[in-house]
Amino acid sequence: MVDDFLRKQDLIGLNETEVMERLGADDNGMFAGDNSRQAVYNLGTARAVMAVHDETLYIYFDDQGHVDRYEIKVR
């Protein structure tokens, strides 16, 4: 589901408000700590056979507050 969303929605260049409008409130309180230059979304269990870890979408903002990159990590 997230792969389809990321293919259709280009997050690069969006500001934090625009990201929140598309994805809703993030999970920063659980994952990002005090790093306010990123948004973190827990995506749930990884998409693999016998998966035991969660996937997390990290969205990184530049100094002007716009998305400069994002990645999905398995935690």
Side-chain angles (χ1 to χ4, degrees):
M1 185 165 122
V2 70
D3 294 323
D4 187 49
F5 173 83
L6 292 172
R7 272 192 298 276
K8 293 178 180 177
Q9 299 286 323
D10 187 10
L11 298 178
I12 303 299
L14 298 180
N15 64 39
E16 186 174 355
T17 300
E18 293 168 323
V19 170
M20 297 292 176
E21 287 172 353
R22 287 166 175 78
L23 297 175
D26 61 22
D27 298 315
N28 272 359
M30 288 178 19
F31 298 106
D34 62 354
N35 188 346
S36 62
R37 290 185 39 198
Q38 70 183 26
V40 182
Y41 293 88
N42 181 7
L43 302 176
T45 304
R47 299 161 286 175
V49 176
M50 304 283 291
V52 295
H53 299 288
D54 286 343
E55 287 184 318
T56 307
L57 172 63
Y58 287 82
I59 301 172
Y60 303 96
F61 298 93
D62 62 19
D63 291 335
Q64 288 77 41
H66 295 94
V67 176
D68 66 353
R69 66 187 173 94
Y70 55 85
E71 64 183 332
I72 296 174
K73 295 181 180 181
V74 176
R75 306 184 87 206

